[in-house]
Amino acid sequence: MKKRSGLSCLVVLASMMALAGCGNSASNAAADGKSSQGASPAEAAYPKMEIKLSHVAADNTPKGQAALKFKEIVESKSGGNIKVKVFPSGQLYGDNDEIEALQANNVQIIAPSAAKLSGFDKSFEIFDLPFMFKDEESLRRFEDGEGGKKLLSKLESKGIEGLSFWPNGFKHITNKKVAIKSPDDLKGLKIRTHGGLIINEVYEKLGAASTKIAFNEVYQALQLGTIDGQENSLVNIDTQKYEEVQNNLTLTNHARSEYVVVANKKWWDSLDAKTQSLLDEAMKEATEVGRDLVQKLELESLEKIKKNGKMKVTELTDQEREAFKQAVQPVFDKWAAEMDPEVINLAKEASK
């Protein structure tokens, strides 16, 4: 009996030593930041995948910088498991085919102008309603609030997941014929727009002809004289070098060409909750980067344009701006009546 007890003690002792060895191995692995399979916590949490993000603006615009920040955050926090390939300046898809490419899942994320989505719901042209939002703060209150959420939810039945709104600054008009100071100055001009129904009618009301041309083809159209002018944010006017082919810039501040960041819904729904959460958080941070850059870069672009002196810059007085607002009020009233009244009311509340 005593011999058996001694043997039993030896077995127990050996077992304890083995467990201690396992414990030390586990502790060492934890200290190294590795799991028992040799993967870091981030690597273990996220599946390996590649996300294609396509947009039509330059890298040095708020939109371009937001896209790069999204890439940086996702790749860093996923431990490199999730790769985001960003294709700026229409390198992969242009204005005319990016939505179709998204629905076919040839690209997972795009950031088209909101008006490009008006074929799904007219409410997406709310940013084209002339003088709808008075400033950046009212716009952000709408986008981050119930109004923005309701607007994005309208895409779900179309196979599209709405992720965020990215800023593009308020729009202004350039042309090569006249310094625009009154609505009458636009008569007879041919202006490029993104093709939204409202903005086209705005120019029609002002006596100008509007035409839809892909963003990455606008410079050549201006150079060739196919069009007389165009409307855009100051950053886009600057980075696209329109001053080389335009003589006049009028700071009308008449509408926004806000971007809507959207994903292929079937692809999005296939992601696990942890991955969706990572992408959501990265998108929020990227959106803030874009917003912070808008005011800074818009001011810098305006100063650069003025300094170069190739375009005459016309700043409207309050009275002149009011004349434009009154001239296009019938367009506002007509199209606001075609949109979701709840979305319109939420936008008006945000602008108070």
Side-chain angles (χ1 to χ4, degrees):
M1 293 294 291
K2 290 182 180 180
K3 289 182 178 179
R4 289 184 180 179
S5 297
L7 181 60
S8 298
C9 289
L10 288 172
V11 171
V12 171
L13 182 59
S15 299
M16 291 175 65
M17 291 176 66
L19 288 172
C22 291
N24 287 337
S25 297
S27 298
N28 291 338
D32 291 338
K34 300 289 183 179
S35 71
S36 58
Q37 270 75 45
S40 70
E43 290 170 345
Y46 301 103
K48 290 185 179 294
M49 70 174 71
E50 179 181 281
I51 299 172
K52 292 179 182 177
L53 192 166
S54 174
H55 66 87
V56 300
D59 273 338
N60 58 346
T61 62
K63 180 179 183 178
Q65 289 297 297
L68 293 175
K69 175 56 68 171
F70 177 75
K71 168 186 172 69
E72 174 190 325
I73 296 170
V74 171
E75 292 184 348
S76 175
K77 292 189 175 182
S78 69
N81 270 19
I82 303 177
K83 302 292 185 183
V84 180
K85 297 189 70 174
V86 178
F87 298 89
S89 303
Q91 292 174 1
L92 191 61
Y93 295 104
D95 276 334
N96 296 329
D97 55 3
E98 60 182 355
I99 293 177
E100 182 179 345
L102 180 82
Q103 290 180 305
N105 201 32
N106 292 329
V107 60
Q108 287 69 56
I109 300 175
I110 60 173
S113 294
K116 296 289 184 183
L117 302 170
S118 63
F120 300 125
D121 192 288
K122 291 182 179 179
S123 298
F124 278 97
E125 288 206 327
I126 189 171
F127 303 103
D128 278 342
L129 286 175
F131 307 100
M132 175 76 259
F133 299 99
K134 63 180 181 180
D135 52 31
E136 290 282 347
E137 288 70 26
S138 60
L139 177 74
R140 293 180 186 185
R141 282 195 295 270
F142 169 77
E143 292 178 345
D144 294 341
E146 291 304 311
K149 291 178 182 177
K150 185 171 182 61
L151 192 57
L152 291 179
S153 70
K154 295 177 179 294
L155 296 170
E156 294 176 3
S157 63
K158 312 301 180 183
I160 298 174
E161 181 75 19
L163 301 179
S164 187
F165 297 94
W166 281 356
N168 190 26
F170 281 93
K171 294 197 289 188
H172 312 280
I173 303 171
T174 70
N175 82 99
K176 64 179 181 180
K177 289 188 174 181
V178 62
I180 297 170
K181 298 191 69 176
S182 73
D184 287 343
D185 291 330
L186 277 155
K187 289 182 178 179
L189 295 182
K190 192 171 185 179
I191 305 294
R192 179 268 176 184
T193 72
H194 54 61
L197 297 176
I198 295 174
I199 203 65
N200 288 348
E201 194 163 318
V202 164
Y203 283 103
E204 180 182 339
K205 191 70 176 178
L206 295 172
S210 61
T211 184
K212 177 182 176 182
I213 297 175
F215 182 75
N216 56 341
E217 298 174 5
V218 174
Y219 182 95
Q220 184 178 27
L222 291 169
Q223 186 178 43
L224 295 174
T226 306
I227 50 177
D228 299 313
Q230 59 84 51
E231 58 162 31
N232 237 304
S233 69
L234 291 170
V235 170
N236 280 345
I237 290 170
D238 175 25
T239 58
Q240 294 299 309
K241 302 185 185 301
Y242 291 152
E243 63 183 15
E244 296 177 352
V245 288
Q246 297 278 265
N247 299 326
N248 300 282
L249 163 63
T250 301
L251 303 178
T252 50
N253 212 54
H254 59 283
R256 295 281 295 203
S257 182
E258 212 70 348
Y259 300 117
V260 185
V261 189
V262 294
N264 177 282
K265 184 167 178 57
K266 186 175 181 180
W267 167 78
W268 179 264
D269 290 343
S270 73
L271 303 176
D272 60 70
K274 184 179 287 290
T275 300
Q276 286 184 351
S277 179
L278 169 62
L279 299 185
D280 275 332
E281 288 304 311
M283 187 59 64
K284 287 178 183 177
E285 290 188 49
T287 298
E288 289 307 310
V289 166
R291 287 175 170 179
D292 290 344
L293 281 173
V294 159
Q295 289 178 310
K296 176 178 180 291
L297 294 181
E298 288 282 288
L299 180 58
E300 289 179 356
S301 288
L302 179 58
E303 290 304 313
K304 182 179 175 182
I305 290 169
K306 287 181 176 180
K307 184 178 180 180
N308 288 344
K310 294 181 179 180
M311 283 196 295
K312 179 180 179 181
V313 178
T314 300
E315 299 188 45
L316 300 177
T317 65
D318 290 343
Q319 185 176 1
E320 289 168 341
R321 190 181 305 280
E322 184 62 25
F324 277 94
K325 188 174 180 179
Q326 291 302 317
V328 298
Q329 188 64 42
V331 180
F332 182 104
D333 295 339
K334 172 188 173 180
W335 287 99
E338 295 287 322
M339 299 179 190
D340 185 333
E342 184 179 353
V343 172
I344 293 295
N345 288 335
L346 288 168
K348 289 180 178 178
E349 284 294 319
S351 294
K352 286 183 178 179

